[in-house]
Amino acid sequence: MAIIQNVENLHSDKTIEDKVISLIDQLSATENSTEKDLLYILNNISKKSALHLYKTAREKSALYYEDRVYMRALIEFTNYCKQGCNYCGIRAFNSNVDRYRLSKEEILDCCKEGYELGYKTFVMQGGEDNFFSDEMIADIIKTIKETYPDCAITLSFGEKPKESYQKYFDAGCDRYLLRHETASKELYEHLHPKPMSFENRMKCLNDLKDIGFQVGAGYMVGSPRQTNEDLVKDLLFLKEFQPHMCGIGPYVCHSDTPFKGERTATVEETRVMVALTRLLCPKALLPAATAMGTVDPVGREKALKSGANVVMPKVTPRSVRAKYELYADMICVDDEASHCRSCIEGRINMAGYQVDLQRGDHVDCEVE
Ligand code: SAH
């Protein structure tokens, strides 16, 4: 049974609804839950109990971050990728992709523009592109940190050996995003062909934590074959791992992948997962994923109203944006960085929150 069948169900049973609401309250009070209770929530959530969940998650977020929403400037620096993730539009085997990679100078230009727009975190994200050696990445990180010492750098560059992660960290990289994608080994293997493995993904996440990065995990909601039981595994994994950041977005079908024709997830089912993640990881930084804005014009606002507290506007050069197409109908591909900056601020304010232009570290990792 998928969450959506319930969250959009108007005719809910009052006793079941009351039980779901009391489980949500209990979860919020203890910041913990059992596998059985989480599954009960997912299997029985209704429109009314979902609204209660969103509000509770929002209040939890406010405990640590008030009404602040942090901004991250996203630089999509390469769409070359050696991996074959079955859901991803820039997978190695998609010959329809027009491949690009930015030079160091182009990346620095993105940072300059981003800095002028007020951003204090740069997120460098790319496919797993071996053209960039560890030394090249370390050199880019060093130069950005020398030029903008008041800024944080987040890298999102896939699976690497621990020694490579260590080099990025030593060069000054502060944070690393590597979504775990799913905490179910079986589903992981359905989503990722060999040689990728669940064990290596988990090893990478543990290595990143050991090294001292602020680490971002995360997962897609509604990916092909995912069940509510799988989603409960995600929640329990996150409760245990306590990532500093957690990216949660809807799976959006891309037709140039083996998952062509699969169902795209909805904003409501994703919101349920954002909110539950907030209750289990109260201090985490949770982005309102761009994919939320693809499945619903006000999807990112809805994520903010369900416990998210970060947005990641793009500063990728407009000339290449459309080429970084992870999923269909990605938004913001035609906009200038300055447009994204004011658009997103307007959306945050309209939703009732305040833009915070500080570095926005995890509350337990604040610098100075
Ligand atoms: N190579 C990096 C960056 C991957 S792209 C890495 O491996 O971490 C960033 C995220 O986009 C992925 O982690 C994945 O969760 C998400 N993504 C990719 N394809 C998607 C799709 N079709 N729908 C929704 N999200 C997708």
Side-chain angles (χ1 to χ4, degrees), residues 264-299:
T264 285
T266 68
V267 79
E268 293 306 331
E269 56 191 330
T270 313
R271 284 182 87 178
V272 168
M273 297 311 298
V274 171
L276 288 171
T277 305
R278 166 60 66 206
L279 295 181
L280 288 162
C281 303
K283 297 180 181 174
L285 290 150
L286 302 185
T290 309
M292 286 292 263
T294 290
V295 296
D296 181 327
V298 286

Side-chain angles (χ1 to χ4, degrees), residues 87-88 125-126 156 158 178-179 181 201 220 250-252 326-327:
Y87 46 84
C88 183
Q125 185 178 85
S156 173
L178 183 76
R179 287 188 177 182
E181 309 297 358
R201 198 78 174 177
M220 283 178 295
Y251 163 72
V252 182
L326 306 176
Y327 48 82

Side-chain angles (χ1 to χ4, degrees), residues 5-16:
Q5 289 166 4
N6 304 303
V7 78
E8 293 193 345
N9 177 12
L10 286 167
H11 313 285
S12 47
D13 179 311
K14 177 94 175 66
T15 342
I16 296 178

Side-chain angles (χ1 to χ4, degrees), residues 1 8 14 23 66 82 118 134 172 186 224:
M1 189 170 6
E8 293 193 345
K14 177 94 175 66
L23 289 175
E66 297 167 4
K82 66 171 190 191
D134 293 345
E186 204 185 326

Side-chain angles (χ1 to χ4, degrees), residues 80-81 83 85-90 125-129 156-159 176-181 196 201 218-221 247 249-254 257 259 291 324-328 330:
Y80 282 86
C81 190
Q83 302 288 19
C85 308
N86 288 326
Y87 46 84
C88 183
I90 62 165
Q125 185 178 85
E128 290 193 22
D129 179 2
S156 173
F157 194 39
E159 298 179 14
Y176 201 100
L177 294 180
L178 183 76
R179 287 188 177 182
H180 66 283
E181 309 297 358
M196 292 181 83
R201 198 78 174 177
Y219 57 106
M220 283 178 295
V221 178
Y251 163 72
V252 182
C253 184
H254 191 297
T257 66
F259 288 160
Y324 196 80
E325 194 189 54
L326 306 176
Y327 48 82
M330 209 171 196

